[in-house]
């Protein structure tokens, strides 16, 4: 017998089968060349090349297979939607490696591993609903049989825009955000084949789109058309005058085949933020809304922002009108605290909120989200702008956490950034007031000297809980808020 071969007796094979999983044993046996048997199988010993001897040692070192369960994330959440898997069956994971990203009706959460081992089974597909307390994956641990069977899920809050998830491909790690990896997955693109142009080789969305354009061809040739050339001038003069003929009979139009529509309706369950929106808006319908509208002259504020915009950009912050609107609302809430309150379900008690956590409605790829700027009463306009920039970047990347989306006490919706002048905003329970800002327009107005001047006009629409807020209170608050914006210097007197 050659030195490169080792003989394994039937009793060894039996032990091998007991130590290895059925999948491992079947895969191993498929690598052995079939031999015509002249005696019963148990009478044979099996000859296996020495390069396959590793199989016994690897099987002997395999530990127990543990069910990796989804533990309670908090906030009363009982189910989540699986948005992305960072591993597949057969992958080797270490402690604190990312397993998957799930999304509840409040925030996105990254699930990480507590064990070193191999992923043996994945229980859910992408966009499937996972229940708290049920297994996410099976992990064959490397710690031997003494590894404790626990519910092992380590939740980490959604990453900020400065953090990035690492995906290991072919021995090296690629840096890309979940949104970029999702775009690559939808177009069947391997991240290992894309050259990242971001910092430290990070793959950006533009890199995926450029790669896709090179593969498929982004520029299509224009469709050819035939230009109708008029006859030359001399041709008409040289042609003999035709004889008069009877008027031709009208030709019926040719029968055009009707297109056949083959589309089908599609039904899908409500998940994530859409499901939360149904619950919130259903509760909002129980609130009697009081509406109030007015217009605001932003001419002086437009000049002030133009002066401060360059200063803010020099500090790395984009300054919009929204920080001024938020700060003016906070100053108004100091005079009318009932607008920064909440009413209990039994309508017996009013809670006046000490913090001004002003929510800002955002239109994202995940739907309508309302993160809030915490403690506005303690922040400057520049600090509010900095926090807004952070929330907008997280919202664009789909990384807003539960801390950013909860705890709001008052809301402003800048619907005018998309279009429209007036709106009818819906209160977000347990809040009692909300404002919708229309688009700013340049319109003619009369000044104090009865002269027609160019003015920057914005419309605002308020909704208040009419059970505890009367129309006069809402009107006075709106007038105070309006005065701060029409004369921004007046805000300096009330800043604290």
């Amino acid at each position: 017998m050659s030195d490169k071969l080792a003989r394994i007796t039937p009793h060894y094979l039996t032990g091998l089968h007991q130590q290895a999983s059925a999948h491992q044993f079947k895969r191993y046996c498929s690598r052995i060349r079939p031999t015509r048997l002249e005696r019963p199988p148990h009478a044979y010993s099996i000859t296996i090349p020495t390069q396959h001897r590793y199989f016994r040692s690897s099987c002997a070192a395999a530990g127990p297979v543990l069910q990796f369960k989804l533990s309670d994330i908090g906030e009363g959440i009982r189910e989540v939607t699986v948005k992305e898997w960072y591993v597949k069956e057969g992958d080797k994971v270490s402690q604190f490696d990312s397993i998957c990203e799930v999304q509840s009706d409040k925030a996105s959460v990254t699930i990480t591993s507590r064990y070193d081992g191999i992923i043996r089974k994945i229980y859910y597909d992408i966009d499937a609903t996972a229940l708290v307390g049920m297994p996410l994956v099976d992990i064959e641990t490397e710690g031997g049989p003494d590894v404790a069977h626990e519910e092992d899920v380590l939740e980490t809050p959604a990453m900020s825009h400065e953090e990035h998830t690492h995906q290991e491909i072919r021995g090296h790690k690629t840096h890309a955000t979940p949104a970029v990896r999702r775009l690559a997955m939808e177009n069947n693109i391997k991240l290992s084949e894309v050259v990242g142009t971001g910092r430290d080789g990070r793959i950006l969305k533009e890199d995926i789109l450029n790669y896709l354009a090179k593969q498929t061809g982004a520029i299509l040739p224009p469709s050819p058309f035939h230009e109708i050339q008029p006859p030359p001038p001399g041709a008409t003069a040289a042609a003999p005058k035709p004889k008069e003929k009877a008027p031709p009979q009208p030709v019926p139009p040719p029968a055009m085949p009707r297109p056949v529509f083959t589309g089908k309706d599609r039904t899908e369950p409500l998940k994530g933020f859409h499901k939360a929106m149904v619950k919130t808006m259903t509760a909002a319908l129980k609130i009697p809304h009081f509406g109030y509208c007015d217009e605001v002259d932003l001419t002086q504020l437009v000049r002030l922002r133009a002066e401060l915009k360059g200063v803010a950009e020099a500090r790395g912050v984009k300054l919009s009108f929204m920080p001024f609107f938020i700060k003016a609302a906070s100053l108004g809430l100091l005079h009318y605290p009932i607008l920064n309150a909440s009413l209990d379900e039994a309508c017996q008690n009013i809670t006046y909120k000490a913090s001004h956590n002003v929510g800002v409605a955002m239109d994202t790829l995940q739907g309508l989200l309302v993160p809030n700027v915490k403690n506005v009463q303690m922040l400057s306009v520049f600090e509010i702008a900095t926090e807004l920039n952070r929330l907008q970047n997280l919202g664009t990347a789909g990384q807003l956490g539960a801390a950013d989306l909860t705890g709001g006490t008052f809301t402003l919706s800048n619907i005018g950034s998309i279009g429209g002048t007036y709106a009818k905003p819906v209160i977000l329970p347990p809040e009692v007031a909300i404002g919708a800002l229309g688009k700013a327009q340049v319109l003619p107005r009369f000044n104090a000297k009865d002269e027609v001047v160019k003015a920057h006009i914005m419309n605002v629409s308020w909704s208040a809980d009419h059970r505890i807020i009367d129309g006069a209170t809402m009107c006075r608050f709106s007038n105070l808020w309006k005065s701060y914006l029409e004369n921004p210097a007046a805000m300096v007197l009330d800043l604290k």
Side-chain angles (χ1 to χ4, degrees):
M1 182 176 61
S2 172
D3 294 338
K4 296 183 178 180
L5 300 178
R7 300 187 65 81
I8 301 178
T9 59
H11 71 272
Y12 176 85
L13 182 61
T14 302
L16 180 66
H17 191 172
Q18 292 174 348
Q19 295 169 355
S21 66
H23 175 72
Q24 292 172 314
F25 183 72
K26 181 178 179 182
R27 187 175 66 177
Y28 172 75
C29 292
S30 65
R31 302 177 64 176
I32 304 175
R33 182 177 300 176
T35 306
R36 180 178 179 182
L37 302 179
E38 298 178 357
R39 290 180 292 172
H42 64 269
Y44 284 86
S45 62
I46 300 177
T47 302
I48 301 177
T50 54
Q51 59 266 32
H52 299 319
R53 289 181 183 175
Y54 72 91
F55 185 77
R56 179 179 181 183
S57 62
S58 62
C59 293
V65 177
L66 301 181
Q67 285 188 338
F68 192 96
K69 296 182 180 180
L70 176 63
S71 64
D72 189 1
I73 299 178
E75 299 288 342
I77 296 171
R78 306 308 305 164
E79 63 182 27
V80 297
T81 301
V82 179
K83 301 304 295 183
E84 186 171 4
W85 284 104
Y86 302 142
V87 296
K88 61 180 181 297
E89 293 182 1
D91 281 359
K92 185 175 181 180
V93 295
S94 301
Q95 293 186 35
F96 308 110
D97 282 356
S98 296
I99 297 293
C100 64
E101 179 182 345
V102 299
Q103 184 180 75
S104 68
D105 56 358
K106 297 183 182 296
S108 297
V109 178
T110 301
I111 306 300
T112 59
S113 175
R114 188 175 295 177
Y115 299 118
D116 298 335
I118 299 175
I119 302 297
R120 289 305 179 196
K121 182 177 180 180
I122 294 179
Y123 284 85
Y124 299 100
D125 296 328
I126 299 295
D127 290 330
T129 300
L131 302 178
V132 172
M134 301 302 292
L136 286 174
V137 296
D138 286 351
I139 300 180
E140 181 180 314
T141 60
E142 299 178 354
D146 56 343
V147 177
H149 291 260
E150 307 174 5
E151 292 185 2
D152 296 297
V153 176
L154 178 63
E155 298 94 9
T156 60
M159 292 177 294
S160 67
H161 67 287
E162 294 180 353
E163 298 173 341
H164 302 86
T165 305
H166 305 288
Q167 180 183 9
E168 189 166 329
I169 302 178
R170 295 184 181 178
H172 69 279
K173 289 186 177 181
T174 58
H175 302 264
T177 61
V180 172
R181 291 200 310 278
R182 187 176 297 112
L183 179 62
M185 181 181 63
E186 292 173 352
N187 293 277
N188 297 322
I189 297 175
K190 295 181 179 180
L191 292 180
S192 58
E193 299 177 356
V194 180
V195 179
T197 60
R199 182 170 40 173
D200 298 329
R202 185 185 312 122
I203 298 177
L204 308 177
K205 178 181 178 182
E206 291 75 11
D207 300 330
I208 299 294
L209 297 178
N210 292 336
Y211 180 86
L212 187 62
K214 292 179 182 178
Q215 296 296 320
T216 60
I219 302 177
L220 299 178
S223 57
F225 64 94
H226 299 281
E227 184 178 358
I228 301 176
Q229 299 289 346
T236 304
K241 185 177 181 180
K243 298 180 179 179
E244 294 183 359
K245 295 183 179 180
Q249 296 294 329
V251 179
M256 300 295 293
R258 292 186 177 182
V260 179
F261 180 69
T262 59
K264 295 183 179 180
D265 296 342
R266 180 168 55 94
T267 302
E268 60 183 24
L270 287 171
K271 298 179 181 179
F273 294 110
H274 288 164
K275 191 172 183 179
M277 186 174 180
V278 171
K279 295 165 59 177
T280 304
M281 293 297 101
T282 302
L285 289 177
K286 302 177 183 179
I287 301 175
H289 283 54
F290 168 79
Y292 178 81
C293 301
D294 200 356
E295 70 173 32
V296 185
D297 188 347
L298 301 178
T299 303
Q300 293 190 39
L301 183 60
V302 169
R303 298 194 192 103
L304 177 62
R305 175 180 173 265
E307 296 175 3
L308 299 178
K309 185 177 179 182
V311 178
E313 290 180 350
R315 301 183 186 180
V317 175
K318 180 181 178 181
L319 181 63
S320 63
F321 290 105
M322 202 64 187
F324 296 96
F325 300 154
I326 294 174
K327 188 60 182 180
S330 177
L331 295 175
L333 293 176
L334 293 174
H335 295 272
Y336 301 96
I338 186 111
L339 297 175
N340 194 57
S342 64
L343 184 66
D344 63 358
E345 294 184 359
C347 298
Q348 299 296 322
N349 300 287
I350 300 175
T351 302
Y352 293 87
K353 304 292 185 178
S355 299
H356 297 174
N357 299 338
V358 180
V360 181
M362 290 185 180
D363 180 31
T364 69
L365 296 178
Q366 297 171 307
L368 175 65
L369 300 180
V370 190
N372 57 83
V373 181
K374 300 287 195 299
N375 297 313
V376 175
Q377 76 280 2
M378 301 174 58
L379 302 180
S380 66
V381 172
F382 178 78
E383 290 170 334
I384 297 173
T386 303
E387 180 66 6
L388 273 180
N389 285 188
R390 184 185 72 85
L391 294 175
Q392 288 167 349
N393 291 333
L394 291 179
T396 302
Q399 297 293 329
L400 285 169
D404 298 320
L405 296 170
T406 56
T409 62
F410 185 87
T411 299
L412 290 177
S413 174
N414 189 16
I415 191 65
S417 61
I418 302 176
T421 52
Y422 291 96
K424 186 180 179 182
V426 180
I427 299 171
L428 299 176
E431 300 175 15
V432 295
I434 184 175
L437 312 176
K439 65 180 179 180
Q441 306 177 87
V442 179
L443 299 174
R445 289 293 185 269
F446 287 98
N447 61 11
K449 300 178 181 180
D450 289 337
E451 299 171 341
V452 177
V453 295
K454 181 177 68 173
H456 295 265
I457 304 298
M458 181 190 73
N459 300 109
V460 59
S461 304
W462 302 101
S463 290
D465 189 339
H466 213 359
R467 294 175 296 183
I468 60 174
I469 300 174
D470 55 40
T473 301
M474 189 75 253
C475 179
R476 293 188 181 100
F477 168 82
S478 179
N479 289 340
L480 180 59
W481 178 80
K482 173 182 176 180
S483 67
Y484 286 135
L485 299 180
E486 292 186 339
N487 184 15
M491 283 197 291
V492 177
L493 298 178
D494 292 334
L495 289 178
K496 294 183 178 180

